Amino acid sequence: GGMLAERFEWQTSFFYAHEEASRDVEVPNLATPELKGVFIFQSTDNTSYGAALNNVYHVNDDLRLNLGGRWIKDQKETLLERYEPSPLSGREATFRGCEGNLDRSFRTTPVEPYDLDQPLFPNNHCADTTRGTMWGAGIDWRPSGGDHLLYAKIDRFGLAP
């Protein structure tokens, strides 16, 4: 017996996460120390949030049914600039961004670490947004109320741009 409210339980959750970071990496030119090495700059801005709901229905003391779901959205953005002042033959271009070769032009006033070099093409941020839905269902059974638990679960997760 029992009322429906006594047999039914539910739980909700919400989350939010934000990350900002930047990295500067300098790799010295060990083969030819008088030449500059490789410089890499990267900045990252990531945001994630979502919501979830989980429900349990107690059919009786030995049997319960579970059903739940979660919705997630991730937004990721990065800016990457790789500078190699003296690329060897057959290597990548002097300037590279997350979208590829930025080519090279020259400026009139030196700027560290680039000296007179500068990218010819604009260096755009790379960004990606994904959305995901996840759901699950299950059944838990304790035969004769004993110490043994038999259960079956199914979960599904999918991402969409």
Side-chain angles (χ1 to χ4, degrees):
M3 301 187 66
L4 180 62
E6 293 173 354
R7 294 176 178 242
F8 185 73
E9 61 183 85
W10 58 276
Q11 178 181 19
T12 60
S13 64
F14 301 94
F15 75 89
Y16 171 82
H18 185 242
E19 169 198 24
E20 285 184 324
S22 64
R23 293 161 281 295
D24 291 313
V25 178
E26 180 179 350
V27 181
N29 188 339
L30 298 176
T32 314
E34 63 273 7
L35 296 177
K36 287 190 173 189
V38 175
F39 298 90
I40 300 170
F41 169 76
Q42 183 178 13
S43 66
T44 305
D45 188 1
N46 298 331
T47 303
S48 299
Y49 49 93
L53 174 65
N54 186 54
N55 303 288
V56 178
Y57 178 69
H58 298 266
V59 177
N60 57 40
D61 289 341
D62 302 329
L63 181 66
R64 63 185 188 175
L65 307 174
N66 304 287
L67 180 64
R70 179 183 293 182
W71 176 81
I72 302 166
K73 183 175 182 181
D74 289 326
Q75 296 172 306
K76 299 176 188 243
E77 185 175 287
T78 190
L79 177 69
L80 174 68
E81 184 172 278
R82 179 182 181 274
Y83 172 61
E84 185 173 352
S86 304
L88 299 174
S89 177
R91 278 193 155 183
E92 301 292 335
T94 300
F95 283 98
R96 294 201 51 90
C98 58
E99 294 179 342
N101 185 359
L102 301 174
D103 216 337
R104 178 173 70 170
S105 67
F106 300 97
R107 66 178 99 216
T108 56
T109 306
V111 173
E112 279 297 321
Y114 308 123
D115 290 330
L116 296 175
D117 291 335
Q118 70 181 6
L120 177 63
F121 301 113
N123 190 7
N124 299 317
H125 285 82
C126 296
D128 188 29
T129 299
T130 54
R131 293 168 183 82
T133 54
M134 174 179 180
W135 62 266
I139 184 170
D140 299 341
W141 178 47
R142 292 192 183 276
S144 305
D147 293 333
H148 300 290
L149 173 67
L150 300 175
Y151 66 93
K153 305 242 186 232
I154 184 170
D155 290 315
R156 183 178 184 286
F157 182 71
L159 285 176

